[in-house]
Amino acid sequence: HGLHVVVLAGAVATFYWTRDKDSIDFPVVGSVFRTLRYHVGSIALGSLVLAVIRTIRMVVLYFSRKLKNRAKDNKIVKFVLCCVNCCLYCVEKFIRYITKNAYIMIAVDGQGICTAAGQGWKLLTSNVGRMTEVKGVSTYVFVLSKVGVGLDSGLATTVGVRRYVSYDG
């Protein structure tokens, strides 16, 4: 996941910040080489953090399943285990979101994972309104495009079937 985010962000950044667009030859290939040469360690560290959090969550989930069988009537144990699992799930999602933005900042600035995570967090918190607007508009556009593709496919199929099927009985 991290590798493809850094490669894609690097290719987009190369295209975006190059004045002479004709001078760009194979931006994705260049981004792959830069990523493999300079950023693999940062990607590995970000993935390690996610793996450690997911492992802790899976261990807690394992013990909660074992305790649920023993303490079927103890509602306090069930509640505490549910809260711990929920908190670990939220932490995992938060860290995944932060590392994704850190990977983008790594591709753009070339910093390490910790510096990039700080830069990404600062960028996100300073543009909360813009991020909300973009999320809302993109969700609306995606829904419209999904409906449009479905309608177009249905129409094309109906027209195609009517053209090639004879109704002569």
Side-chain angles (χ1 to χ4, degrees), residues 11-157:
V12 170
T14 299
F15 183 79
Y16 184 78
W17 277 295
T18 302
R19 290 186 187 267
D20 184 19
K21 304 293 188 214
D22 294 331
S23 68
I24 300 174
D25 292 330
F26 307 108
V28 176
V29 174
S31 181
V32 167
F33 287 133
R34 276 192 311 277
T35 301
L36 292 176
R37 183 171 182 189
Y38 298 113
H39 306 306
V40 172
S42 295
I43 295 168
L45 184 59
S47 296
L48 176 68
V49 170
L50 281 172
V52 166
I53 291 172
R54 183 171 284 167
T55 302
I56 291 170
R57 186 168 161 244
M58 291 301 133
V59 167
V60 168
L61 191 64
Y62 171 77
F63 283 122
S64 71
R65 287 186 181 160
K66 288 292 184 183
L67 287 175
K68 272 187 182 178
N69 294 336
R70 291 185 181 174
K72 289 183 180 179
D73 297 329
N74 194 345
K75 297 198 185 289
I76 294 173
V77 172
K78 287 182 180 180
F79 178 75
V80 168
L81 290 173
C82 183
C83 288
V84 168
N85 192 28
C86 181
C87 289
L88 286 172
Y89 176 78
C90 292
V91 167
E92 180 184 346
K93 289 294 183 181
F94 178 75
I95 295 296
R96 183 181 302 234
Y97 186 72
I98 292 299
T99 54
K100 180 180 178 185
N101 290 299
Y103 291 153
I104 293 169
M105 293 305 293
I106 287 169
V108 171
D109 286 344
Q111 301 292 328
I113 185 78
C114 296
T115 306
Q119 287 176 342
W121 180 253
K122 185 177 175 183
L123 185 65
L124 287 174
T125 56
S126 65
N127 294 304
V128 172
R130 289 180 187 165
M131 297 293 289
T132 305
E133 291 171 3
V134 167
K135 179 68 175 171
V137 170
S138 65
T139 301
Y140 179 70
V141 168
F142 281 141
V143 167
L144 283 179
S145 64
K146 288 177 184 179
V147 168
V149 166
L151 289 175
D152 288 344
S153 298
L155 182 66
T157 303

